[in-house]
Amino acid sequence: MKALVLPAASVLFFSLLTGCGKTTTISSNMELTGKWQLDSIVQEDVTIRKPATTKGLMDIGLNFKEKGELEGTTSTNILTGFYETAQQNTIQIGGGGTERAETNWGNLFVNALPNVNLYDLKANKLILYYENSNQLIFSRIQ
């Protein structure tokens, strides 16, 4: 009996090392940190491209800082808040901002952001998923 305990324990330990752990493709928040600019929004398989920025309006962007701090801009407002990531690329974003009227583009972003629950990073692209397969697609700017 004792002769079987050591091999069984070794097999169990090895399977725990190789079979468990994070299933996420993101190794840490360090890849997420930085400034991102919104390029397009995908809603129900329809892609809405960023409109030209006009005088008095801002580009929509997010700045993921270390320690879970988040800053950003909408078309007319400043955002501050937090973010938290977990396994399987889940993300929670929260916070608030100023309250000037938004453009249509800004409203799409502002209404989607609280519903974001997954993210993916691909070659300087950040995709935030919300409400099933809808997406906010960003490009890294810094």
Side-chain angles (χ1 to χ4, degrees):
M1 180 73 172
K2 287 183 181 179
L4 291 175
V5 172
L6 186 57
S10 297
V11 169
L12 177 63
F13 179 72
F14 181 72
S15 67
L16 288 173
L17 283 177
T18 59
C20 294
K22 289 186 175 183
T23 57
T24 179
T25 58
I26 307 301
S27 59
S28 73
N29 284 346
M30 295 307 293
E31 295 172 7
L32 184 60
T33 57
K35 293 183 180 181
W36 301 88
Q37 185 174 60
L38 185 62
D39 290 333
S40 59
I41 298 173
V42 177
Q43 288 185 336
E44 300 176 15
D45 296 326
V46 175
T47 300
I48 306 162
R49 304 249 179 244
K50 171 185 153 185
T53 305
T54 58
K55 186 176 181 179
L57 299 177
M58 298 180 280
D59 284 323
I60 295 175
L62 294 173
N63 182 8
F64 291 90
K65 302 176 111 183
E66 294 182 21
K67 299 181 183 175
E69 295 175 6
L70 180 67
E71 295 176 345
T73 54
T74 68
S75 58
T76 58
N77 292 290
I78 305 294
L79 300 172
T80 58
F82 69 91
Y83 70 99
E84 184 177 341
T85 61
Q87 291 182 351
Q88 298 177 349
N89 293 9
T90 60
I91 187 168
Q92 178 182 7
I93 296 175
T98 56
E99 296 184 11
R100 288 183 48 210
E102 289 291 340
T103 63
N104 288 339
W105 177 243
N107 277 326
L108 290 172
F109 171 72
V110 169
N111 292 330
L113 195 60
N115 299 311
V116 167
N117 58 359
L118 294 171
Y119 73 103
D120 196 9
L121 286 168
K122 297 177 183 178
N124 290 321
K125 291 284 185 187
L126 168 64
I127 303 170
L128 298 178
Y129 295 92
Y130 66 100
E131 297 173 357
N132 299 320
S133 62
N134 293 335
Q135 304 169 21
L136 300 171
I137 302 173
F138 293 82
S139 292
R140 185 182 291 277
I141 57 172
Q142 188 176 8

